[in-house]
Amino acid sequence: MEMETYGSMPKIELHAHLNGSARDSTLLELARGLGEEGVIVFSDVEHVIRKSDRSLTEVFKLFDLIHILTTDHKIITRITKEVIEDFASENVVYLELRTTPKKNISIGMTKRSYMEAVIEGLKAITSVDVDFMPHDVDARSGLNSLSTGRTCNGTSRKKIYVRLLLSIDRRETTEAAMETVKLALELRQFGVVGIDLSGNPIVGEWATFLPALKFARELGLCITLHCGEVPNPTEIRSMLDFLPQRIGHACCFEEAEWKKLKSFNIPVEICLTSNIRTNTISSLDVHHFADLYNAKHPLVLCTDDVGVFSTSLSGEYKVASSAFGLGKGEMFQLARNAVEFVFADDGVKRELREVFWPGLSGQY
Ligand code: 6MZ
């Protein structure tokens, strides 16, 4: 029953990694195919994909495997389409999907061609209306994306806004990070709104990424950082002092960092199942969600990697509601608050506020 409530409730997803959100069934099909070609041994890989409890270190090993399976233009297009369809089917009305542009010379893949494959995936969706172009570009090209998409010839049709974030992987050099930022700038007309810094938190130095992140900011791109997935007070403080528009996780903060975060009022993307599964937080009883929620700190519930952690955004809402004793009205309010933290333009924010029209809250 509760799951149905959160399934039908409109929701906003701001922290979802493309390759971490691929369906298990798709990954298994791809692994079987590569097994038949003799590229991998399927039986070695199958249990790795099916396993759901993994440490943070194991998660990054799994990503290396997923990337072997998916780093191909056609497959990237396919998983982008499937991931967006899956989020739309559980009434996510706005999705900020992030992915790390990849270069693989041996198959003729550049960071740009990788992103073009992602954009192809956005365009290939027919089961739901996908709004991904910035509205000022739509106006120039005469496209009307301002329709609500809720009715079409009298029949109601689902609509999802999708915007893209390009991720810098912590394994990358300053030059590689810079290339990603330049690409983000070129692809703004296709809905790229910002930059994310992610990847294995024990790899890489903040100073390596700072020039590219500063450059991104100068160009007007929004920035979100994976911050505090492991204890590293110096890095956490430098990240907060950079004043990103949002941060993800905030698991390993000490008193001084909490103070800074709260005084800067930086919204936090909270990924409950991910934090528990990776053992970054030992149990929901001690999760920082409760303290931040009680302090009215800006928060948004997110999934991180629905495929890797076998979750869904509705599932995250259900977990939060039962772990922290929040009613449906409070959960609706939490979903609605996220409108203010999206990186899309004000026109989209206005339309999203309409989706979360106050009258609707009576249903929850
Ligand atoms: C840090 C994460 C992550 O970019 O290939 N990623 N980075 N912490 C996490 N929490 C568990 N989950 C995913 O998607 C997969 C990539 O996203 C980042 C990692 O860099 C991973 O390789 P894309 O689409």
Side-chain angles (χ1 to χ4, degrees), residues 83-294:
V83 165
I84 296 169
E85 285 171 344
D86 290 350
F87 277 115
S89 74
E90 56 156 341
N91 283 310
V92 169
V93 291
Y94 176 96
L95 163 67
E96 244 165 58
L97 188 61
R98 54 186 80 189
T99 193
T100 321
K102 294 168 189 71
K103 193 184 265 179
N104 185 344
I105 304 299
S106 66
I107 56 159
M109 181 180 276
T110 60
K111 286 191 174 189
R112 192 185 172 92
S113 72
Y114 174 94
M115 283 313 302
E116 283 166 355
V118 170
I119 293 162
E120 279 309 305
L122 285 163
K123 292 182 183 162
I125 298 166
T126 54
S127 57
V128 50
D129 287 341
V130 180
D131 173 306
F132 67 95
M133 305 268 233
H135 288 179
D136 52 344
V137 174
D138 286 355
R140 276 203 304 275
S141 64
L143 294 174
N144 177 18
S145 74
L146 287 171
S147 70
T148 62
R150 271 175 259 161
T151 53
C152 172
N153 297 332
T155 54
S156 111
R157 209 170 135 72
K158 263 192 192 168
K159 171 169 174 175
I160 184 167
Y161 294 84
V162 180
R163 292 296 183 272
L164 300 170
L165 303 181
L166 302 200
S167 300
I168 296 170
D169 187 312
R170 295 184 62 112
R171 286 178 290 200
E172 292 185 288
T173 61
T174 304
E175 292 68 39
M178 211 55 122
E179 190 187 341
T180 296
V181 172
K182 286 184 189 148
L183 181 60
L185 182 69
E186 287 166 29
L187 296 179
R188 268 213 266 214
Q189 56 178 316
F190 296 104
V192 174
V193 289
I195 296 287
D196 156 56
L197 175 66
S198 54
N200 193 337
I202 60 167
V203 174
E205 298 288 330
W206 169 243
T208 307
F209 317 112
L210 192 55
L213 294 168
K214 278 188 178 155
F215 181 51
R217 165 169 290 166
E218 280 162 24
L219 297 173
L221 290 161
C222 293
I223 293 164
T224 178
L225 305 172
H226 280 61
C227 179
E229 269 189 296
V230 291
N232 187 345
T234 313
E235 181 181 272
I236 294 170
R237 281 175 219 167
S238 306
M239 284 183 166
L240 296 176
D241 285 332
F242 179 73
L243 292 178
Q245 274 86 355
R246 299 194 308 255
I247 59 164
H249 297 296
C251 296
C252 305
F253 278 34
E254 297 294 341
E255 213 35 58
E257 287 99 65
W258 287 127
K259 251 195 178 149
K260 217 182 234 295
L261 176 79
K262 287 178 183 168
S263 73
F264 293 168
N265 213 34
I266 301 170
V268 183
E269 303 151 0
I270 298 272
C271 309
L272 296 170
T273 301
S274 161
N275 296 160
I276 299 300
R277 289 269 165 88
T278 56
N279 228 349
T280 315
I281 300 286
S282 58
S283 83
L284 289 171
D285 305 343
V286 295
H287 197 284
H288 45 290
F289 175 94
D291 175 60
L292 292 176
Y293 183 84
N294 291 330

